[in-house]
Amino acid sequence: MHDIIKYQDYFYKLADFIDQQLQANEVYLCDFAAEKSDFVRFNKGKIRQPGNVQQAYINIDLIQNQRHATGKVALSGDMETDKPRITSVLSALREKLPHIPDDPYLLYATEINSSESIANNQLPAANEVVNEIYSQIQAHDFVGIYAAGGIFHGFANSFGQRNWYSCNNFNLDFTLYYDKDKAVKSAYAGFDWNNASFQSKVNEGLQQLEILKRKSRTIKPGKYRVYLSPAALHEILQLLSWGGFGLKSQQTKNSALLRMLTDQNLDPSITLIENTKQGIAPNFQSEGFIKPAEITLIEKGIHKSALISPRSAKEYNVITNGANNEEAPISLDLAAGNLANADILSQLDTGIYINNLWYLNYSDKPACRMTGMTRFATFWVEKGEIVAPLNVMRFDETLYRILGEQLIGLTQERDFIMDNDTYYQRSTSSARLPGALVDDFTFTL
């Protein structure tokens, strides 16, 4: 399996084979995930670990009435090897079914909605990109990982539905180090590598690295005007995504956004959508439901919709909108604002420029209050000029202040941020976010 068409054809042949193995009253759902990826690790400006990964798996959910069991098969790409594996998994699942209780919230698509989305591969050869990276960073303490290549997903069921999705992208997650915790973290991700864009990212990081060589400043806890970069804002929205937007968490009163369901809103400039159309995830999910191109979660500061998985749809008697079982957004898109990046420092005037946050958690979940630490390149700004790196601080703030009553504005420019998770396989989560200028942001230590 060396190209998109072969992956797709091979999966469909396996699905046809599963069709032939079914017994009376059996239904199956099958999802396919594969990647063909180049990985290159850098450390101290040197290439340390180049490699390539090609892997493919299918998950089979065998259903009989309201009982179902799932199994996973690693694929070799050889029918003579993979067919017996699938037969063995089906037999094992069939043996389990009589001993499994009915699932009252089992819901899967029975109406056939087949689809195909095959992206053009605009990626240059890995060695070309690596040579360009190396030419820019060999004189610096540069640490990072370049991951690029094809990602493939498919769905099939016993009703004849077939869905296919492929995407080719790259993600360079990197850090430029000066000393100890004095570092600048950045990333460059997309679908078509551009040398000038990468050089701009590196140059911006090197400029901030020079500032990190200055003596660090410590300020007292209190309220300060801050600029949150898109990467810092991404950390906040990732925390919010842990159950915040899901129907199940809202119905069980476990969502951090409960106050938005009653009488509390965000700033009218806040419109947040699940933008599957412009993300890097497939538009179908593991029960065969098709996701809308867009789902508006928050519109002009007001809660609009929840993410509804098939299970929640069945439990609460509503219509699913194709959310995954976790009901977590994977293609977040926050609308741009009116502030120009070039004016951020002057608009900040005196305050804190935050590039990254980490260790976020809730300090008061019902109030959507969160706490966390600044990280890497955080700077003290006076009269619109960065004057010193700032020592690590802890913040404690509510979303209703950050993106509500204390929000000054969002930037016109937005960053496209790809999740750099590579556990099991490369992630298809992404976000498109502006930066945010916020007044009276609370630091506790």
Side-chain angles (χ1 to χ4, degrees):
M1 295 186 289
H2 297 297
D3 55 46
I4 295 170
I5 300 301
K6 287 185 179 179
Y7 269 129
Q8 185 180 9
D9 288 348
Y10 192 75
F11 171 55
Y12 286 174
K13 288 177 181 177
L14 291 178
D16 292 341
F17 175 73
I18 298 173
D19 281 331
Q20 299 166 9
Q21 308 308 307
L22 294 185
Q23 298 180 4
N25 299 322
E26 289 182 344
V27 170
Y28 83 88
L29 314 176
C30 178
D31 61 270
F32 172 92
E35 67 174 307
K36 185 179 180 183
S37 302
D38 294 305
F39 292 94
V40 182
R41 293 184 181 274
F42 299 86
N43 188 272
K44 292 188 178 295
K46 304 294 183 184
I47 299 169
R48 302 296 183 180
Q49 190 181 27
N52 177 275
V53 171
Q54 186 170 358
Q55 60 177 346
Y57 296 89
I58 58 170
N59 287 288
I60 302 172
D61 192 354
L62 187 64
I63 303 167
Q64 193 170 53
N65 299 318
Q66 287 297 115
R67 298 179 178 183
H68 66 119
T70 60
K72 186 174 184 178
V73 180
L75 301 176
S76 68
D78 176 63
M79 282 288 183
E80 297 305 314
T81 301
D82 291 337
K83 284 183 176 180
R85 291 177 179 176
I86 290 172
T87 301
S88 177
V89 167
L90 287 171
S91 296
L93 297 178
R94 194 169 285 123
E95 290 178 4
K96 289 180 180 180
L97 285 178
H99 310 288
I100 294 175
D102 286 354
D103 183 349
Y105 305 127
L106 175 64
L107 180 66
Y108 50 88
T110 56
E111 181 179 334
I112 298 175
N113 283 295
S114 299
S115 63
E116 179 180 86
S117 175
I118 299 177
N120 293 326
N121 186 359
Q122 304 177 73
L123 297 176
N127 64 312
E128 294 179 22
V129 175
V130 171
N131 287 338
E132 174 61 26
I133 295 172
Y134 185 66
S135 70
Q136 295 293 319
I137 57 90
Q138 58 183 313
H140 308 288
D141 190 350
F142 176 101
V143 177
I145 182 168
Y146 173 77
I151 297 174
F152 314 95
H153 287 272
F155 173 83
N157 64 19
S158 49
F159 304 106
Q161 181 168 323
R162 300 290 186 266
N163 303 94
W164 185 255
Y165 170 87
S166 72
C167 179
N168 299 277
N169 59 57
F170 69 88
N171 192 356
L172 175 62
D173 187 66
F174 67 92
T175 304
L176 290 159
Y177 274 92
Y178 167 56
D179 182 52
K180 297 178 181 177
D181 65 338
K182 295 184 181 298
V184 178
K185 182 175 175 57
S186 186
Y188 176 40
F191 309 93
D192 185 7
W193 179 275
N194 182 280
N195 289 340
S197 297
F198 171 61
Q199 290 172 10
S200 176
K201 288 276 188 180
V202 172
N203 290 339
E204 181 182 357
L206 292 175
Q207 290 171 7
Q208 293 189 353
L209 204 64
E210 286 299 312
I211 299 172
L212 287 176
K213 295 178 182 179
R214 302 174 189 175
K215 183 178 179 180
S216 297
R217 182 169 298 191
T218 299
I219 61 175
K220 294 180 180 180
K223 297 182 184 295
Y224 296 89
R225 178 172 291 196
V226 304
Y227 170 68
L228 297 168
S229 74
L233 193 57
H234 187 224
E235 292 293 330
I236 291 172
L237 291 178
Q238 279 189 309
L239 177 64
L240 193 64
S241 297
W242 297 352
F245 299 106
L247 179 67
K248 178 72 173 182
S249 63
Q250 292 177 3
Q251 290 289 329
T252 57
K253 310 302 181 185
N254 195 41
S255 169
L257 294 177
L258 286 181
R259 293 186 180 181
M260 286 198 72
L261 303 181
T262 53
D263 59 356
Q264 195 152 7
N265 300 324
L266 302 179
D267 187 87
S269 66
I270 301 299
T271 293
L272 185 66
I273 66 175
E274 173 76 330
N275 191 351
T276 300
K277 178 177 61 178
Q278 295 184 334
I280 58 172
N283 69 334
F284 50 87
Q285 47 85 261
S286 57
E287 283 79 27
F289 291 98
I290 304 299
K291 301 178 182 180
E294 296 181 357
I295 300 172
T296 303
L297 305 173
I298 298 171
E299 184 173 37
K300 296 181 179 180
I302 300 172
H303 183 271
K304 182 74 172 179
S305 303
L307 293 173
I308 307 170
S309 69
R311 295 188 65 80
S312 290
K314 184 72 174 288
E315 182 173 0
Y316 298 106
N317 195 28
V318 295
I319 297 173
T320 180
N321 53 21
N324 54 29
N325 286 330
E326 296 79 18
E327 297 184 329
I330 55 176
S331 303
L332 272 180
D333 186 309
L334 179 59
N338 298 317
L339 300 178
N341 276 353
D343 298 332
I344 285 299
L345 289 177
S346 62
Q347 292 287 326
L348 181 57
D349 189 27
T350 297
I352 302 171
Y353 189 109
I354 302 174
N355 272 301
N356 300 96
L357 297 172
W358 69 337
Y359 287 151
L360 271 66
N361 209 334
Y362 290 111
S363 53
D364 184 354
K365 193 171 183 180
C368 204
R369 178 178 292 278
M370 53 192 70
T371 184
M373 309 289 288
T374 61
R375 190 186 191 194
F376 294 134
T378 297
F379 301 109
W380 176 248
V381 177
E382 291 182 359
K383 297 180 180 179
E385 182 179 348
I386 296 176
V387 296
L390 199 62
N391 285 322
V392 172
M393 299 190 73
R394 173 174 289 280
F395 76 89
D396 191 85
E397 267 295 358
T398 72
L399 183 76
Y400 303 111
R401 282 172 49 83
I402 298 171
L403 296 182
E405 59 197 61
Q406 299 306 130
L407 178 67
I408 298 170
L410 303 172
T411 60
Q412 298 169 353
E413 298 89 347
R414 298 188 297 170
D415 282 2
F416 182 61
I417 301 171
M418 287 189 192
D419 189 347
N420 61 7
D421 186 3
T422 56
Y423 288 109
Y424 302 111
Q425 61 190 38
R426 284 166 55 209
S427 173
T428 55
S429 294
S430 65
R432 189 171 276 101
L433 305 174
L437 193 62
V438 183
D439 207 11
D440 287 342
F441 193 85
T442 305
F443 292 91
T444 55
L445 59 85

